[in-house]
Amino acid sequence: MMAATNGFASSDLEKSEELKAAANVAFQAHRFSRAVDLYTKAIELNADNAVLYANRAFAHTRLEEYGSAIADATKSIECNPKYVKGYYRRGAAYLAMGKMKEALKDFRQVCKIVPKDPDAMKKLKECEKAVAKAKFEEAIALDSQSVATTLDYRTIEVEDSYQGARIEDKITLEFVKKMMDDFKNQKSLHKRYAYQILLQTHELLTVTPTLVDITIPPNGHFTVCGDIHGQFYDLLNIFQLNGLPSEENPYLFNGDFVDRGSFSVECIFTLFAFKCLYPTGLYLSRGNHESKSMNKIYGFDGEVKTKFNDTMSEMFTEVFCCLPLANVINGKIFVVHGGLFSSDGVKLSDIRAINRFREPPDEGLMSEILWSDPHDGIGRIPSKRGVGVAFGSDVTKRFLQDNNLDLVVRSHEVKDEGYEETHDGKLITVFSAPNYCDQMGNMGAFIRFEAPDLKPKFTTFSAVPHPAIRPMQYANNFFSMLA
């Protein structure tokens, strides 16, 4: 009779180890979805192995599936309460979600298990500093005044030595082109003009509805782009392929303009300048990364403070809280960054009524708009991200029927070809950051709709070279805990 260990045949354990080794190879090759699949098969053969759950948690973290990472890390800890990496992985996933207090508990537990480990102590101290800093910032925020209402950019002097783009009276196309060319050559925009762009954008967005109705005239066209995540040189390539934004060549950028990529400042000033120049030539939706908690973790906050100052970072926070949450094109195409909702019956009027002028909450319609994802089945299941919900094809179809719509367009997820059509053609995901984070190898894409039929036409493109500045260059020190 074949020997068994903990109820598993020795042949199963050997096969599980083989699958684990293959999963490790896939992970090292940045094939994280493949790694998850292989770890899952290994777990099916050896369900009490803490290492397998911790490894799968790490792969989920790289896929930004933090809810699944927390669940796996918790299972790893249940299998072996003294397995350090289980706490590491769960703490890292909490950290990635901005849940500093929960992360701190796990890193403290790591130090209890391995009290003399210098790396563990370093991570604990970084996490403690982050929690203390967050408390301090919350306290002073209660007494601080709005930058938008107190700043006068006209009092800021422009030095004679400044050779970059200048706004003489108002933002012009010549200024925007010069600014983009300066950015391309890694030159900075003067803070006077940076504040001017931000204040004008703030003024425009403040009076913009939470749900924006966009009209494409007969024989007109409209382009929808997904996440660009600070990949400025790929943004320039989109404009090279499809033309600059204008009233005749309008765009919608569907959230996640910043973070991860280390040219987020250049991306956001380019988009905001075009928004000021052509208010109906460029539309913007808020993404989950247009938020203070994400910006502090994934690099934008650090980038703004490095290239400008703390006040500029506060100004961006205020502007991001004014961004619309959704758009409807010709009354038929619903465009939103994340996805749909945890319950049926949500009407467009409910979305219009959301109080969006705030940081995103942990739950509710606003949170789900920014964080939800589709899944391949029917009904609703917990989100792999730990925020929002995963919704099936039946949910999409009911939402469209309830609101007399034809199509949902969303972004929020990397796709190998830059886009994906699912839910029987009723839902499209578009992602416009090719070779995401310089490692995913994916294509980027954008969608062009032409009136009156509004059939989607896809353009895919590869990443273009950029200066040797790595993604996450400006991320917080404690981001190393995610590695």
Side-chain angles (χ1 to χ4, degrees), residues 296-319:
K296 286 186 178 300
I297 297 170
Y298 293 98
F300 183 60
D301 181 66
E303 183 181 345
V304 174
K305 290 176 178 177
T306 299
K307 294 178 178 178
F308 291 100
N309 52 45
D310 288 9
T311 303
M312 190 76 71
S313 178
E314 293 171 15
M315 184 72 226
F316 270 111
T317 296
E318 291 181 22
V319 176

mmCIF file of all heavy atoms in Angstrom, residues 296-319:
data_model
loop_
_atom_site.group_PDB
_atom_site.id
_atom_site.type_symbol
_atom_site.label_atom_id
_atom_site.label_comp_id
_atom_site.label_asym_id
_atom_site.label_seq_id
_atom_site.Cartn_x
_atom_site.Cartn_y
_atom_site.Cartn_z
ATOM 1 N N LYS A 296 0.136 58.036 -2.036
ATOM 2 C CA LYS A 296 1.203 57.957 -1.047
ATOM 3 C C LYS A 296 1.964 56.637 -1.142
ATOM 4 O O LYS A 296 3.144 56.563 -0.790
ATOM 5 C CB LYS A 296 0.631 58.143 0.357
ATOM 6 C CG LYS A 296 0.235 59.587 0.658
ATOM 7 C CD LYS A 296 -0.189 59.762 2.087
ATOM 8 C CE LYS A 296 -0.529 61.224 2.376
ATOM 9 N NZ LYS A 296 0.617 62.114 2.155
ATOM 10 N N ILE A 297 1.303 55.607 -1.615
ATOM 11 C CA ILE A 297 1.936 54.296 -1.694
ATOM 12 C C ILE A 297 2.631 54.079 -3.039
ATOM 13 O O ILE A 297 3.764 53.592 -3.101
ATOM 14 C CB ILE A 297 0.887 53.180 -1.474
ATOM 15 C CG1 ILE A 297 0.297 53.284 -0.067
ATOM 16 C CG2 ILE A 297 1.500 51.801 -1.692
ATOM 17 C CD1 ILE A 297 -0.906 52.396 0.159
ATOM 18 N N TYR A 298 1.978 54.467 -4.135
ATOM 19 C CA TYR A 298 2.419 54.038 -5.463
ATOM 20 C C TYR A 298 3.202 55.083 -6.259
ATOM 21 O O TYR A 298 3.413 54.920 -7.446
ATOM 22 C CB TYR A 298 1.206 53.542 -6.263
ATOM 23 C CG TYR A 298 0.639 52.274 -5.683
ATOM 24 C CD1 TYR A 298 -0.456 52.300 -4.837
ATOM 25 C CD2 TYR A 298 1.237 51.047 -5.937
ATOM 26 C CE1 TYR A 298 -0.962 51.145 -4.264
ATOM 27 C CE2 TYR A 298 0.748 49.879 -5.383
ATOM 28 C CZ TYR A 298 -0.358 49.930 -4.549
ATOM 29 O OH TYR A 298 -0.831 48.781 -3.988
ATOM 30 N N GLY A 299 3.631 56.152 -5.590
ATOM 31 C CA GLY A 299 4.642 56.992 -6.205
ATOM 32 C C GLY A 299 4.282 58.408 -6.571
ATOM 33 O O GLY A 299 5.161 59.265 -6.639
ATOM 34 N N PHE A 300 3.001 58.707 -6.835
ATOM 35 C CA PHE A 300 2.678 60.044 -7.332
ATOM 36 C C PHE A 300 2.966 61.121 -6.294
ATOM 37 O O PHE A 300 3.529 62.181 -6.615
ATOM 38 C CB PHE A 300 1.218 60.112 -7.781
ATOM 39 C CG PHE A 300 0.836 61.448 -8.369
ATOM 40 C CD1 PHE A 300 1.482 61.935 -9.500
ATOM 41 C CD2 PHE A 300 -0.151 62.229 -7.790
ATOM 42 C CE1 PHE A 300 1.142 63.170 -10.044
ATOM 43 C CE2 PHE A 300 -0.505 63.464 -8.327
ATOM 44 C CZ PHE A 300 0.150 63.930 -9.457
ATOM 45 N N ASP A 301 2.601 60.872 -5.046
ATOM 46 C CA ASP A 301 2.846 61.858 -4.001
ATOM 47 C C ASP A 301 4.343 62.167 -3.892
ATOM 48 O O ASP A 301 4.750 63.335 -3.829
ATOM 49 C CB ASP A 301 2.302 61.342 -2.663
ATOM 50 C CG ASP A 301 2.495 62.329 -1.527
ATOM 51 O OD1 ASP A 301 1.879 63.404 -1.564
ATOM 52 O OD2 ASP A 301 3.273 62.021 -0.602
ATOM 53 N N GLY A 302 5.160 61.129 -3.887
ATOM 54 C CA GLY A 302 6.603 61.332 -3.818
ATOM 55 C C GLY A 302 7.155 62.040 -5.026
ATOM 56 O O GLY A 302 8.072 62.869 -4.929
ATOM 57 N N GLU A 303 6.595 61.739 -6.206
ATOM 58 C CA GLU A 303 7.053 62.379 -7.436
ATOM 59 C C GLU A 303 6.734 63.872 -7.428
ATOM 60 O O GLU A 303 7.584 64.708 -7.779
ATOM 61 C CB GLU A 303 6.403 61.712 -8.649
ATOM 62 C CG GLU A 303 6.891 62.273 -9.973
ATOM 63 C CD GLU A 303 6.235 61.622 -11.185
ATOM 64 O OE1 GLU A 303 5.621 60.544 -11.027
ATOM 65 O OE2 GLU A 303 6.327 62.203 -12.282
ATOM 66 N N VAL A 304 5.516 64.235 -7.017
ATOM 67 C CA VAL A 304 5.128 65.645 -6.977
ATOM 68 C C VAL A 304 6.008 66.406 -5.983
ATOM 69 O O VAL A 304 6.481 67.516 -6.269
ATOM 70 C CB VAL A 304 3.638 65.799 -6.603
ATOM 71 C CG1 VAL A 304 3.281 67.272 -6.424
ATOM 72 C CG2 VAL A 304 2.753 65.178 -7.678
ATOM 73 N N LYS A 305 6.263 65.819 -4.818
ATOM 74 C CA LYS A 305 7.072 66.492 -3.809
ATOM 75 C C LYS A 305 8.530 66.617 -4.244
ATOM 76 O O LYS A 305 9.210 67.579 -3.875
ATOM 77 C CB LYS A 305 6.957 65.751 -2.478
ATOM 78 C CG LYS A 305 5.584 65.904 -1.841
ATOM 79 C CD LYS A 305 5.438 65.090 -0.574
ATOM 80 C CE LYS A 305 4.052 65.308 0.049
ATOM 81 N NZ LYS A 305 3.852 64.470 1.261
ATOM 82 N N THR A 306 8.998 65.655 -5.035
ATOM 83 C CA THR A 306 10.368 65.720 -5.546
ATOM 84 C C THR A 306 10.488 66.775 -6.640
ATOM 85 O O THR A 306 11.452 67.557 -6.669
ATOM 86 C CB THR A 306 10.804 64.350 -6.094
ATOM 87 O OG1 THR A 306 10.776 63.381 -5.038
ATOM 88 C CG2 THR A 306 12.220 64.413 -6.676
ATOM 89 N N LYS A 307 9.522 66.816 -7.542
ATOM 90 C CA LYS A 307 9.598 67.723 -8.689
ATOM 91 C C LYS A 307 9.063 69.118 -8.365
ATOM 92 O O LYS A 307 9.406 70.085 -9.060
ATOM 93 C CB LYS A 307 8.837 67.118 -9.870
ATOM 94 C CG LYS A 307 9.476 65.839 -10.396
ATOM 95 C CD LYS A 307 8.693 65.211 -11.542
ATOM 96 C CE LYS A 307 9.394 63.965 -12.061
ATOM 97 N NZ LYS A 307 8.649 63.282 -13.156
ATOM 98 N N PHE A 308 8.206 69.212 -7.316
ATOM 99 C CA PHE A 308 7.641 70.504 -6.910
ATOM 100 C C PHE A 308 7.751 70.666 -5.396
ATOM 101 O O PHE A 308 8.813 70.921 -4.885
ATOM 102 C CB PHE A 308 6.203 70.650 -7.405
ATOM 103 C CG PHE A 308 6.089 70.792 -8.902
ATOM 104 C CD1 PHE A 308 5.751 69.702 -9.702
ATOM 105 C CD2 PHE A 308 6.327 72.013 -9.526
ATOM 106 C CE1 PHE A 308 5.653 69.834 -11.085
ATOM 107 C CE2 PHE A 308 6.238 72.159 -10.896
ATOM 108 C CZ PHE A 308 5.903 71.063 -11.682
ATOM 109 N N ASN A 309 6.635 70.500 -4.688
ATOM 110 C CA ASN A 309 6.644 70.707 -3.239
ATOM 111 C C ASN A 309 5.390 70.115 -2.600
ATOM 112 O O ASN A 309 4.517 69.590 -3.299
ATOM 113 C CB ASN A 309 6.746 72.207 -2.910
ATOM 114 C CG ASN A 309 5.681 73.019 -3.641
ATOM 115 O OD1 ASN A 309 4.518 72.638 -3.684
ATOM 116 N ND2 ASN A 309 6.084 74.146 -4.225
ATOM 117 N N ASP A 310 5.299 70.197 -1.278
ATOM 118 C CA ASP A 310 4.168 69.626 -0.546
ATOM 119 C C ASP A 310 2.857 70.304 -0.904
ATOM 120 O O ASP A 310 1.804 69.650 -0.985
ATOM 121 C CB ASP A 310 4.398 69.747 0.958
ATOM 122 C CG ASP A 310 5.478 68.808 1.473
ATOM 123 O OD1 ASP A 310 6.170 68.190 0.636
ATOM 124 O OD2 ASP A 310 5.631 68.690 2.698
ATOM 125 N N THR A 311 2.893 71.619 -1.101
ATOM 126 C CA THR A 311 1.666 72.349 -1.419
ATOM 127 C C THR A 311 1.081 71.889 -2.750
ATOM 128 O O THR A 311 -0.142 71.762 -2.897
ATOM 129 C CB THR A 311 1.929 73.864 -1.458
ATOM 130 O OG1 THR A 311 2.471 74.271 -0.197
ATOM 131 C CG2 THR A 311 0.654 74.641 -1.738
ATOM 132 N N MET A 312 1.957 71.618 -3.713
ATOM 133 C CA MET A 312 1.487 71.119 -5.011
ATOM 134 C C MET A 312 0.792 69.773 -4.835
ATOM 135 O O MET A 312 -0.242 69.498 -5.465
ATOM 136 C CB MET A 312 2.665 70.988 -5.974
ATOM 137 C CG MET A 312 2.278 70.700 -7.415
ATOM 138 S SD MET A 312 1.652 72.154 -8.291
ATOM 139 C CE MET A 312 3.158 73.120 -8.461
ATOM 140 N N SER A 313 1.332 68.923 -3.967
ATOM 141 C CA SER A 313 0.709 67.630 -3.702
ATOM 142 C C SER A 313 -0.683 67.808 -3.105
ATOM 143 O O SER A 313 -1.630 67.104 -3.485
ATOM 144 C CB SER A 313 1.593 66.812 -2.755
ATOM 145 O OG SER A 313 0.992 65.570 -2.453
ATOM 146 N N GLU A 314 -0.824 68.757 -2.180
ATOM 147 C CA GLU A 314 -2.141 69.030 -1.586
ATOM 148 C C GLU A 314 -3.120 69.533 -2.641
ATOM 149 O O GLU A 314 -4.308 69.190 -2.618
ATOM 150 C CB GLU A 314 -1.989 70.063 -0.467
ATOM 151 C CG GLU A 314 -1.207 69.564 0.738
ATOM 152 C CD GLU A 314 -0.882 70.673 1.719
ATOM 153 O OE1 GLU A 314 -1.502 71.760 1.603
ATOM 154 O OE2 GLU A 314 -0.012 70.474 2.579
ATOM 155 N N MET A 315 -2.622 70.332 -3.570
ATOM 156 C CA MET A 315 -3.482 70.859 -4.631
ATOM 157 C C MET A 315 -3.988 69.734 -5.519
ATOM 158 O O MET A 315 -5.165 69.698 -5.908
ATOM 159 C CB MET A 315 -2.694 71.896 -5.450
ATOM 160 C CG MET A 315 -3.508 72.590 -6.525
ATOM 161 S SD MET A 315 -4.712 73.759 -5.859
ATOM 162 C CE MET A 315 -6.161 73.338 -6.797
ATOM 163 N N PHE A 316 -3.112 68.787 -5.846
ATOM 164 C CA PHE A 316 -3.549 67.638 -6.649
ATOM 165 C C PHE A 316 -4.634 66.847 -5.916
ATOM 166 O O PHE A 316 -5.609 66.407 -6.541
ATOM 167 C CB PHE A 316 -2.366 66.716 -6.963
ATOM 168 C CG PHE A 316 -1.655 67.061 -8.237
ATOM 169 C CD1 PHE A 316 -0.374 67.568 -8.218
ATOM 170 C CD2 PHE A 316 -2.271 66.888 -9.467
ATOM 171 C CE1 PHE A 316 0.295 67.891 -9.394
ATOM 172 C CE2 PHE A 316 -1.627 67.211 -10.650
ATOM 173 C CZ PHE A 316 -0.333 67.711 -10.609
ATOM 174 N N THR A 317 -4.473 66.668 -4.613
ATOM 175 C CA THR A 317 -5.489 65.945 -3.837
ATOM 176 C C THR A 317 -6.845 66.614 -3.965
ATOM 177 O O THR A 317 -7.869 65.944 -4.148
ATOM 178 C CB THR A 317 -5.067 65.877 -2.358
ATOM 179 O OG1 THR A 317 -3.864 65.108 -2.246
ATOM 180 C CG2 THR A 317 -6.148 65.229 -1.512
ATOM 181 N N GLU A 318 -6.871 67.934 -3.904
ATOM 182 C CA GLU A 318 -8.134 68.669 -4.028
ATOM 183 C C GLU A 318 -8.732 68.519 -5.431
ATOM 184 O O GLU A 318 -9.948 68.344 -5.579
ATOM 185 C CB GLU A 318 -7.908 70.139 -3.694
ATOM 186 C CG GLU A 318 -7.588 70.396 -2.231
ATOM 187 C CD GLU A 318 -7.387 71.876 -1.915
ATOM 188 O OE1 GLU A 318 -7.884 72.723 -2.690
ATOM 189 O OE2 GLU A 318 -6.742 72.188 -0.896
ATOM 190 N N VAL A 319 -7.885 68.592 -6.446
ATOM 191 C CA VAL A 319 -8.387 68.480 -7.821
ATOM 192 C C VAL A 319 -8.919 67.076 -8.083
ATOM 193 O O VAL A 319 -9.987 66.907 -8.690
ATOM 194 C CB VAL A 319 -7.289 68.843 -8.843
ATOM 195 C CG1 VAL A 319 -7.800 68.628 -10.274
ATOM 196 C CG2 VAL A 319 -6.853 70.293 -8.666
#
